[in-house]
Amino acid sequence: WLLTGIAVAPGGPAGASYFWGSATTMKIAWALLGFFLVALHLYFPAPSIAPIHRKRITWFFAIISVILTCVTLVDDLVFKTYFSAYTGLNYFVYGFFAVSVLISLGLLFLGFFRTSDPDQKRQTGIVLWGMALGFVPFLALTLLPILFSLPYLDGAYTSLFLILIPLSYAYVIHQRKLLKVDFIINRIVVFFIMGLLILTVSFLTLLVAATVLKSPALMPLIGSAVAVVVALPASALRDKANRWVSRTLYGSYYDHTSVAGGLSSRLAQALDRDTMISLLTNDLAKQMGIQQTALLLTNGDNLDLQRPTNNEVFAAKLEDELCQTLLNAQAPVRALNLWGLLPDSCQMRWRRFAWGELFVPIIFEGRLQGILILGSRIAGDIYSDQDISILATVAHQAALASANIQLVERLRGLSQQIVRAGEEERKQVARELHDGVLQTLSFVKHSIQHNHELVGYVDEIITTLRHIVKMQRTSALNRGLAPALEELVTDMRRRAGENGPEIAWRNRIGEIAVPDEHATAIYRIAQESLSNALKHARAKDIAVTLAQENGKIEFTIEDNGIGLPPVIASEGHYGLIGMRERALMIGANLRVVSDQEEGTRVVMEYTPC
């Protein structure tokens, strides 16, 4: 930027009298500046081309820059042709600088589109926006009106916007150093951009109107100034500008109302631990622009780290000094204050969380349920009082969610015990029927072979009992899940008869290894779904598909029947509730999609252990 100043400052004297070699100084500065611009953008904000190409480009522009500098010195000081205002050398120097600017812009765009690092992409975007906002006012308010012989704003004023270009570079380079005044800069930029946009749009609009109506040339300037004064206080416009500026400068934006309300509402609806963990770590971090988070939840008398990176296990006793300090505080505590209250031994135990900027306790009925640890912000290490108030609200809702989830887990555990007990009873009944009643009936059948009427009657009883045994516990499950499902489809075809729906079986993965309990749960879900489709769907076709994608088993039963009634589709009935309970029991995801007169689709996604 010093070189830029040297290039620009002698411009007046150079054009007027060529005093003290100002023209020579100016041309040398422009020639050197072209080289430095390209060299800078080969590496800033991030290298965008291969090292070998960077080296070649750097040497090429350095040689051209040195040649132009030497030729300028010889031409101006030896041959003294600089008194001619427009020599061929001038065109070479300024042309070289113009080409350097274009190549620098190209490197910036190349880096913006090539980099996968969000921070580098954001920094490059800040520089590009700084260039655009610096050049656009001069172009729109001065240069274009001059070209079309329209009233224009003096270039002495619009050229002041060019200061945005070095400021954008400075902001990116020294962003970490500017964080202490970052919010002040944010608000200044917001109001500046709002004023600039309103001024530009209103000036161009009024300029067209003034030209058509042949109004005084000052009217567009006065009108646009009035428009800025009137529109600048508008909260809706300011909010939109604030969103754009925050996303450009920091890569994220959040408003306090949406975080406190939206996140708390979703936490209130969370009924499983994974959902709560995802909301408190991933979603909260994205909305508030937090770089790193960690969550610890109670497990008996300990706090266990959830979803640890690199599978590193961490646990702390609830009696730990840090836990007790947070429990006594009953509110989020800044790390700087917290570390000062803890002994060295405790700090050593928690040293892996030294990156934490804020520790948020999750407390329910006077008991610590967890600790949410938040790292530095994308916008810096500043957590305002309003931020802490939001996090306290979120932590309160998280405590309620944690208590609800623990209750649901206990009820679900009881439900699983009931389901397992029911399955054991089914197995016992099946064994007794098979080993006792069926054996006896087979003996009776053998004894009355001469009475064909009684034999037919006994055969019917034996068939019915075998079907009941199969419903209790199919022996095909002993051969694997896929054969059991295929046999189930065959039995359902037999039950449907000739006038029933066509049932198609598609096995796209072959045999799969599934624990017995999980295979039984999947079989029961399929059994219930097919029974419902046969009894209530009035379908012509039913498709049963077993497939695998991205490591997940997907089991689908789809019919083209009348669909589920709205009440059952929204609230479910005993059969649907049982299916969902079995899916939850094995960690599967069950979806029931139904449209009136368009059929029903039951999809279960299951990840094998």
Side-chain angles (χ1 to χ4, degrees):
W1 298 116
L2 178 63
L3 193 60
T4 304
I6 294 173
V8 173
S17 62
Y18 304 97
F19 180 66
W20 46 267
S22 56
T24 306
T25 304
M26 185 171 63
K27 283 187 285 187
I28 291 174
W30 285 121
L32 294 174
L33 186 59
F35 158 70
F36 281 113
L37 275 175
V38 174
L40 165 69
H41 291 97
L42 285 170
Y43 296 90
F44 176 85
S48 55
I49 58 178
I52 184 65
H53 298 310
R54 290 202 302 268
K55 187 175 182 180
R56 289 171 180 171
I57 293 172
T58 303
W59 275 107
F60 175 78
F61 275 84
I63 291 170
I64 297 295
S65 178
V66 170
I67 290 173
L68 287 175
T69 300
C70 294
V71 170
T72 298
L73 288 171
V74 172
D75 186 61
D76 286 5
L77 301 180
V78 178
F79 296 104
K80 299 186 178 182
T81 58
Y82 56 84
F83 289 105
S84 175
Y86 298 101
T87 65
L89 182 59
N90 287 2
Y91 290 116
F92 276 112
V93 171
Y94 300 136
F96 172 71
F97 175 74
V99 169
S100 300
V101 170
L102 292 175
I103 290 177
S104 299
L105 279 172
L107 290 170
L108 278 172
F109 278 108
L110 189 64
F112 181 81
F113 289 110
R114 277 193 174 182
T115 183
S116 58
D117 188 326
D119 283 338
Q120 291 178 356
K121 188 178 286 289
R122 176 173 53 82
Q123 291 166 359
T124 309
I126 292 172
V127 172
L128 290 171
W129 275 110
M131 287 184 172
L133 293 172
F135 280 116
V136 165
F138 177 75
L139 182 68
L141 303 179
T142 301
L143 187 58
L144 289 179
I146 290 176
L147 292 176
F148 292 99
S149 301
L150 298 172
Y152 63 89
L153 197 62
D154 194 324
Y157 303 109
T158 55
S159 61
L160 293 176
F161 288 104
L162 295 173
I163 193 66
L164 287 174
I165 300 174
L167 281 179
S168 65
Y169 279 88
Y171 183 84
V172 170
I173 295 170
H174 301 291
Q175 188 178 29
R176 295 302 174 189
K177 298 178 182 179
L178 292 173
L179 286 174
K180 299 304 178 184
V181 292
D182 200 54
F183 292 120
I184 298 174
I185 294 174
N186 182 302
R187 294 299 175 265
I188 292 173
V189 171
V190 167
F191 281 102
F192 173 79
I193 290 175
M194 286 174 60
L196 176 61
L197 291 174
I198 296 167
L199 179 67
T200 303
V201 173
S202 58
F203 178 80
L204 293 176
T205 304
L206 293 172
L207 184 62
V208 173
T211 304
V212 173
L213 301 174
K214 297 182 180 179
S215 302
L218 286 177
M219 286 303 295
L221 292 176
I222 296 172
S224 57
V226 171
V228 171
V229 173
V230 172
L232 204 57
S235 58
L237 185 62
R238 186 169 62 251
D239 183 60
K240 288 182 179 180
N242 191 24
R243 286 173 182 267
W244 180 82
V245 169
S246 294
R247 287 198 175 104
T248 301
L249 295 182
Y250 313 132
S252 65
Y253 170 80
Y254 80 96
D255 63 272
H256 301 83
T257 304
S258 69
V259 172
L263 198 62
S264 295
S265 176
R266 284 183 288 165
L267 278 169
Q269 298 172 13
L271 293 178
D272 62 274
R273 192 174 293 263
D274 285 343
T275 300
M276 183 182 73
I277 293 170
S278 180
L279 287 171
L280 290 176
T281 54
N282 300 337
D283 292 39
L284 179 65
K286 288 179 182 177
Q287 289 193 45
M288 296 187 70
I290 302 171
Q291 294 184 0
Q292 189 174 359
T293 61
L295 178 65
L296 295 94
L297 294 176
T298 54
N299 181 15
D301 294 330
N302 292 339
L303 280 174
D304 290 345
L305 179 63
Q306 308 297 309
R307 296 181 181 176
T309 56
N310 301 324
N311 296 321
E312 296 179 6
V313 179
F314 177 84
K317 295 287 186 183
L318 288 174
E319 294 79 13
D320 187 273
E321 292 93 336
L322 186 144
C323 297
Q324 291 301 310
T325 301
L326 291 174
L327 182 62
N328 294 332
Q330 300 278 315
V333 180
R334 297 182 190 274
L336 290 175
N337 299 334
L338 181 62
W339 298 130
L341 299 173
L342 301 175
D344 293 341
S345 58
C346 180
Q347 292 187 36
M348 286 296 295
R349 285 196 299 274
W350 291 82
R351 65 183 181 276
R352 65 178 298 165
F353 302 109
W355 48 264
E357 299 286 340
L358 199 67
F359 285 71
V360 184
I362 300 172
I363 302 171
F364 181 73
E365 294 184 347
R367 178 178 169 83
L368 189 66
Q369 298 289 327
I371 299 174
L372 179 61
I373 305 173
L374 306 176
S376 59
R377 308 282 295 279
I378 293 175
D381 57 352
I382 301 171
Y383 283 93
S384 66
D385 292 339
Q386 196 168 12
D387 293 330
I388 292 177
S389 176
I390 288 173
L391 292 167
T393 302
V394 170
H396 176 69
Q397 190 59 59
L400 296 176
S402 177
N404 290 336
I405 289 168
Q406 289 178 20
L407 177 60
V408 169
E409 287 176 345
R410 285 197 293 271
L411 292 174
R412 190 166 290 151
L414 180 60
S415 175
Q416 289 176 4
Q417 290 178 13
I418 293 172
V419 169
R420 290 192 184 102
E423 288 297 335
E424 287 299 322
E425 289 179 4
R426 284 171 178 262
K427 291 179 183 179
Q428 183 65 28
V429 169
R431 279 194 297 267
E432 290 178 357
L433 286 173
H434 183 270
D435 298 339
V437 178
L438 281 174
Q439 296 279 2
T440 303
L441 285 174
S442 297
F443 176 76
V444 170
K445 177 184 174 183
H446 181 72
S447 301
I448 59 172
Q449 287 182 2
H450 60 279
N451 192 331
H452 298 292
E453 185 178 351
L454 285 176
V455 168
Y457 180 67
V458 171
D459 276 339
E460 187 177 340
I461 295 174
I462 289 173
T463 301
T464 303
L465 282 174
R466 280 178 176 162
H467 175 70
I468 293 173
V469 169
K470 194 170 290 185
M471 293 290 286
Q472 298 299 313
R473 165 73 180 180
T474 177
S475 59
L477 276 173
N478 298 328
R479 302 196 307 270
L481 177 61
L485 292 175
E486 185 174 5
E487 187 172 304
L488 175 65
V489 170
T490 302
D491 287 345
M492 289 296 178
R493 284 193 193 122
R494 192 179 300 114
R495 284 181 58 189
E498 294 181 359
N499 298 325
E502 190 70 33
I503 305 177
W505 164 248
R506 303 170 187 145
N507 181 10
R508 295 174 177 166
I509 59 176
E511 185 47 55
I512 48 175
V514 178
D516 184 65
E517 184 177 340
H518 293 196
T520 302
I522 296 171
Y523 183 85
R524 296 295 180 209
I525 292 171
Q527 194 176 61
E528 180 69 27
S529 299
L530 281 171
S531 296
N532 288 338
L534 286 178
K535 290 178 184 177
H536 310 296
R538 302 179 196 169
K540 293 183 179 179
D541 297 290
I542 301 174
V544 182
T545 306
L546 190 64
Q548 189 167 14
E549 187 175 354
N550 298 327
K552 289 185 177 180
I553 294 172
E554 188 175 276
F555 177 65
T556 307
I557 298 176
E558 188 172 11
D559 66 66
N560 59 358
I562 60 174
L564 292 175
V567 174
I568 294 178
S570 60
E571 299 179 6
H573 63 81
Y574 180 77
L576 283 177
I577 293 171
M579 288 163 58
R580 290 193 174 101
E581 279 296 327
R582 290 181 185 277
L584 284 171
M585 190 174 73
I586 62 173
N589 179 33
L590 183 72
R591 302 193 311 275
V592 180
V593 182
S594 181
D595 293 319
Q596 289 293 296
E597 307 302 331
E598 293 187 11
T600 302
R601 191 166 186 258
V602 178
V603 182
M604 189 192 70
E605 292 178 346
Y606 165 75
T607 304
C609 298

